[in-house]
Amino acid sequence: MDDQAAILARRVALAASAWFNAPADVEAYRRLAAAVGEWNTYAAPQLVDDDLLDELADQHPPTPLGDAVPDLEAALRRAARRML
């Protein structure tokens, strides 16, 4: 864990502790929400190689959701018949 992660983790822990001790305190909850938001922003995965998505799309192009519906419907109907 680097220094920034340690600082953010401590901030989340302190804010959570304050809110648990006073759950009706709106300001304590606001601080917790802000600290969790900072942590989520910090911990979100970052794409290092922007070309990666293009390569993945070339290997496995996206499929429209509507194309998968008939297969899913058939599988659900088979499963429903087995349950009867």
Side-chain angles (χ1 to χ4, degrees):
M1 180 180 285
D2 62 21
D3 290 344
Q4 185 178 5
I7 290 168
L8 291 173
R10 180 171 169 74
R11 192 174 297 158
V12 170
L14 290 172
S17 177
W19 182 66
F20 282 133
N21 288 322
D25 184 349
V26 174
E27 184 59 25
Y29 183 76
R30 187 201 61 74
R31 286 193 306 270
L32 174 60
V36 169
E38 287 181 72
W39 174 262
N40 288 342
T41 299
Y42 171 80
Q46 303 294 316
L47 281 178
V48 177
D49 183 4
D50 290 336
D51 296 328
L52 177 62
L53 292 178
D54 291 334
E55 291 174 27
L56 289 173
D58 290 340
Q59 295 171 13
H60 304 284
T63 304
L65 184 59
D67 291 354
V69 170
D71 295 335
L72 176 60
E73 182 181 13
L76 291 172
R77 288 183 189 278
R78 283 191 303 271
R81 281 194 296 272
R82 283 193 302 263
M83 294 177 72
L84 295 177

